Short mmCIF file of all heavy atoms in Angstrom, two decimals:
data_model
loop_
_atom_site.label_atom_id
_atom_site.label_comp_id
_atom_site.label_asym_id
_atom_site.label_seq_id
_atom_site.Cartn_x
_atom_site.Cartn_y
_atom_site.Cartn_z
N LYS U 1 151.92 176.97 75.03
CA LYS U 1 151.06 177.68 74.07
C LYS U 1 150.28 178.78 74.78
O LYS U 1 150.06 178.73 76.00
CB LYS U 1 150.10 176.70 73.40
CG LYS U 1 149.20 175.95 74.37
CD LYS U 1 148.34 174.90 73.65
CE LYS U 1 149.17 173.71 73.22
NZ LYS U 1 148.33 172.63 72.67
N ILE U 2 149.87 179.77 73.99
CA ILE U 2 149.03 180.87 74.46
C ILE U 2 147.69 180.76 73.76
O ILE U 2 147.63 180.76 72.52
CB ILE U 2 149.69 182.23 74.20
CG1 ILE U 2 150.97 182.37 75.03
CG2 ILE U 2 148.73 183.38 74.53
CD1 ILE U 2 151.73 183.67 74.79
N ILE U 3 146.62 180.65 74.53
CA ILE U 3 145.27 180.46 73.98
C ILE U 3 144.39 181.62 74.44
O ILE U 3 144.33 181.91 75.64
CB ILE U 3 144.67 179.12 74.45
CG1 ILE U 3 145.59 177.96 74.04
CG2 ILE U 3 143.27 178.92 73.88
CD1 ILE U 3 145.17 176.62 74.58
N PRO U 4 143.71 182.32 73.51
CA PRO U 4 142.80 183.40 73.91
C PRO U 4 141.66 182.85 74.79
O PRO U 4 141.22 181.71 74.62
CB PRO U 4 142.27 183.94 72.58
CG PRO U 4 143.23 183.47 71.55
CD PRO U 4 143.79 182.18 72.04
N LEU U 5 141.20 183.68 75.71
CA LEU U 5 140.12 183.25 76.60
C LEU U 5 138.79 183.14 75.89
O LEU U 5 137.83 182.61 76.46
CB LEU U 5 140.00 184.21 77.78
CG LEU U 5 141.16 184.19 78.77
CD1 LEU U 5 140.97 185.23 79.86
CD2 LEU U 5 141.32 182.80 79.39
N THR U 6 138.72 183.65 74.66
CA THR U 6 137.49 183.49 73.87
C THR U 6 137.34 182.08 73.33
O THR U 6 136.28 181.72 72.82
CB THR U 6 137.48 184.49 72.72
OG1 THR U 6 138.68 184.34 71.95
CG2 THR U 6 137.39 185.92 73.24
N LYS U 7 138.42 181.27 73.45
CA LYS U 7 138.39 179.90 72.96
C LYS U 7 138.54 178.93 74.14
O LYS U 7 139.16 179.27 75.14
CB LYS U 7 139.52 179.65 71.95
CG LYS U 7 139.41 180.48 70.69
CD LYS U 7 140.56 180.16 69.75
CE LYS U 7 140.47 180.97 68.47
NZ LYS U 7 141.60 180.67 67.55
N PRO U 8 138.01 177.71 74.00
CA PRO U 8 138.22 176.71 75.07
C PRO U 8 139.70 176.29 75.11
O PRO U 8 140.40 176.32 74.11
CB PRO U 8 137.32 175.55 74.65
CG PRO U 8 136.38 176.12 73.65
CD PRO U 8 137.10 177.22 72.96
N PHE U 9 140.15 175.89 76.29
CA PHE U 9 141.51 175.38 76.43
C PHE U 9 141.49 174.18 77.37
O PHE U 9 140.60 174.03 78.21
CB PHE U 9 142.45 176.47 76.98
CG PHE U 9 142.12 176.96 78.35
CD1 PHE U 9 142.68 176.40 79.48
CD2 PHE U 9 141.24 178.02 78.53
CE1 PHE U 9 142.39 176.85 80.75
CE2 PHE U 9 140.93 178.49 79.80
CZ PHE U 9 141.50 177.91 80.91
N ARG U 10 142.49 173.30 77.19
CA ARG U 10 142.59 172.07 77.95
C ARG U 10 143.77 172.16 78.91
O ARG U 10 144.86 172.59 78.54
CB ARG U 10 142.78 170.86 77.03
CG ARG U 10 141.59 170.62 76.11
CD ARG U 10 141.90 169.47 75.14
NE ARG U 10 142.00 168.20 75.84
CZ ARG U 10 140.97 167.41 76.08
NH1 ARG U 10 139.76 167.76 75.68
NH2 ARG U 10 141.13 166.26 76.71
N TRP U 11 143.50 171.77 80.15
CA TRP U 11 144.55 171.75 81.18
C TRP U 11 144.29 170.58 82.11
O TRP U 11 143.19 170.42 82.64
CB TRP U 11 144.53 173.07 81.97
CG TRP U 11 145.58 173.15 83.03
CD1 TRP U 11 146.91 173.38 82.85
CD2 TRP U 11 145.40 173.00 84.44
NE1 TRP U 11 147.56 173.37 84.05
CE2 TRP U 11 146.65 173.14 85.05
CE3 TRP U 11 144.28 172.75 85.23
CZ2 TRP U 11 146.83 173.03 86.42
CZ3 TRP U 11 144.46 172.65 86.61
CH2 TRP U 11 145.73 172.80 87.19
N CYS U 12 145.31 169.73 82.26
CA CYS U 12 145.20 168.53 83.11
C CYS U 12 144.01 167.67 82.70
O CYS U 12 143.19 167.26 83.55
CB CYS U 12 145.10 168.91 84.59
SG CYS U 12 146.66 169.41 85.31
N LYS U 13 143.88 167.40 81.42
CA LYS U 13 142.86 166.50 80.87
C LYS U 13 141.44 167.05 81.02
O LYS U 13 140.47 166.30 80.84
CB LYS U 13 142.93 165.11 81.51
CG LYS U 13 144.27 164.42 81.37
CD LYS U 13 144.55 164.01 79.95
CE LYS U 13 145.86 163.22 79.86
NZ LYS U 13 146.15 162.78 78.47
N ALA U 14 141.28 168.32 81.34
CA ALA U 14 139.96 168.93 81.46
C ALA U 14 139.85 170.09 80.48
O ALA U 14 140.85 170.75 80.17
CB ALA U 14 139.70 169.41 82.88
N ARG U 15 138.64 170.34 80.02
CA ARG U 15 138.39 171.39 79.02
C ARG U 15 137.62 172.53 79.68
O ARG U 15 136.51 172.34 80.20
CB ARG U 15 137.58 170.80 77.87
CG ARG U 15 137.35 171.74 76.68
CD ARG U 15 136.69 170.94 75.57
NE ARG U 15 136.47 171.74 74.37
CZ ARG U 15 135.32 172.34 74.08
NH1 ARG U 15 134.27 172.22 74.90
NH2 ARG U 15 135.19 173.03 72.97
N PHE U 16 138.22 173.73 79.66
CA PHE U 16 137.64 174.92 80.29
C PHE U 16 137.11 175.86 79.20
O PHE U 16 137.81 176.12 78.22
CB PHE U 16 138.66 175.65 81.14
CG PHE U 16 139.12 174.88 82.35
CD1 PHE U 16 140.14 173.93 82.25
CD2 PHE U 16 138.54 175.08 83.59
CE1 PHE U 16 140.56 173.23 83.35
CE2 PHE U 16 138.96 174.37 84.70
CZ PHE U 16 139.96 173.45 84.58
N THR U 17 135.90 176.37 79.41
CA THR U 17 135.28 177.30 78.47
C THR U 17 134.73 178.48 79.26
O THR U 17 133.91 178.30 80.17
CB THR U 17 134.16 176.63 77.68
OG1 THR U 17 134.66 175.44 77.05
CG2 THR U 17 133.61 177.57 76.61
N LEU U 18 135.16 179.69 78.91
CA LEU U 18 134.65 180.92 79.50
C LEU U 18 133.68 181.55 78.51
O LEU U 18 134.09 182.05 77.46
CB LEU U 18 135.80 181.88 79.83
CG LEU U 18 135.41 183.22 80.47
CD1 LEU U 18 134.71 183.01 81.81
CD2 LEU U 18 136.65 184.09 80.66
N THR U 19 132.39 181.51 78.82
CA THR U 19 131.37 181.99 77.89
C THR U 19 131.26 183.52 77.94
O THR U 19 131.87 184.18 78.80
CB THR U 19 130.01 181.36 78.23
OG1 THR U 19 129.61 181.79 79.55
CG2 THR U 19 130.11 179.83 78.21
N GLU U 20 130.47 184.09 77.03
CA GLU U 20 130.29 185.54 76.97
C GLU U 20 129.58 186.08 78.20
O GLU U 20 129.77 187.24 78.57
CB GLU U 20 129.50 185.91 75.71
CG GLU U 20 130.23 185.59 74.42
CD GLU U 20 129.41 185.96 73.19
OE1 GLU U 20 128.24 186.39 73.38
OE2 GLU U 20 129.93 185.85 72.08
N THR U 21 128.75 185.27 78.84
CA THR U 21 128.03 185.71 80.04
C THR U 21 128.85 185.52 81.32
O THR U 21 128.38 185.89 82.40
CB THR U 21 126.71 184.93 80.17
OG1 THR U 21 127.00 183.53 80.27
CG2 THR U 21 125.82 185.19 78.96
N GLY U 22 130.03 184.93 81.21
CA GLY U 22 130.87 184.71 82.37
C GLY U 22 130.72 183.33 82.98
O GLY U 22 131.39 183.02 83.99
N LYS U 23 129.86 182.49 82.42
CA LYS U 23 129.73 181.14 82.93
C LYS U 23 130.96 180.32 82.53
O LYS U 23 131.45 180.43 81.41
CB LYS U 23 128.46 180.48 82.38
CG LYS U 23 128.22 179.08 82.91
CD LYS U 23 126.95 178.48 82.35
CE LYS U 23 126.74 177.06 82.89
NZ LYS U 23 125.51 176.45 82.36
N ILE U 24 131.42 179.50 83.46
CA ILE U 24 132.62 178.69 83.24
C ILE U 24 132.21 177.23 83.18
O ILE U 24 131.68 176.69 84.15
CB ILE U 24 133.65 178.92 84.36
CG1 ILE U 24 134.02 180.40 84.45
CG2 ILE U 24 134.89 178.07 84.12
CD1 ILE U 24 134.71 180.79 85.72
N LYS U 25 132.44 176.62 82.03
CA LYS U 25 132.11 175.21 81.84
C LYS U 25 133.39 174.39 81.95
O LYS U 25 134.42 174.75 81.37
CB LYS U 25 131.46 174.98 80.47
CG LYS U 25 130.12 175.67 80.30
CD LYS U 25 129.56 175.38 78.92
CE LYS U 25 128.22 176.07 78.70
NZ LYS U 25 127.69 175.81 77.34
N VAL U 26 133.30 173.30 82.65
CA VAL U 26 134.44 172.39 82.80
C VAL U 26 133.98 171.01 82.38
O VAL U 26 133.06 170.43 82.98
CB VAL U 26 134.96 172.35 84.25
CG1 VAL U 26 136.22 171.50 84.34
CG2 VAL U 26 135.24 173.75 84.77
N ASN U 27 134.60 170.49 81.34
CA ASN U 27 134.27 169.16 80.82
C ASN U 27 135.42 168.21 81.05
O ASN U 27 136.59 168.61 80.96
CB ASN U 27 133.94 169.22 79.33
CG ASN U 27 132.76 170.13 79.03
OD1 ASN U 27 132.94 171.24 78.55
ND2 ASN U 27 131.56 169.68 79.33
N GLY U 28 135.10 166.95 81.34
CA GLY U 28 136.12 165.95 81.55
C GLY U 28 136.79 165.52 80.27
O GLY U 28 136.49 166.01 79.18
N SER U 29 137.69 164.59 80.41
CA SER U 29 138.47 164.13 79.27
C SER U 29 137.59 163.33 78.31
O SER U 29 136.92 162.37 78.70
CB SER U 29 139.64 163.27 79.74
OG SER U 29 140.31 162.69 78.66
N ARG U 30 137.61 163.73 77.05
CA ARG U 30 136.87 162.98 76.03
C ARG U 30 137.54 161.63 75.77
O ARG U 30 136.85 160.64 75.51
CB ARG U 30 136.82 163.80 74.73
CG ARG U 30 135.99 163.18 73.62
CD ARG U 30 135.83 164.15 72.47
NE ARG U 30 137.12 164.61 71.97
CZ ARG U 30 137.26 165.53 71.03
NH1 ARG U 30 136.19 166.11 70.50
NH2 ARG U 30 138.45 165.89 70.62
#
């Protein structure tokens, strides 16, 4: 799948979010 960087995406059971300010949030598996 192709996911825009404006949306969160999941890779290897982790959730990555690129915010408008450039901060990168990484959340574990729910």
Side-chain angles (χ1 to χ4, degrees):
K1 58 185 73 173
I2 295 177
I3 303 174
L5 291 177
T6 54
K7 297 181 180 180
F9 63 92
R10 296 175 68 88
W11 181 76
C12 284
K13 303 290 184 179
R15 186 173 182 264
F16 294 83
T17 306
L18 180 61
T19 63
E20 295 180 355
T21 60
K23 182 180 179 180
I24 303 164
K25 296 180 180 179
V26 185
N27 300 104
S29 173
R30 184 172 56 185

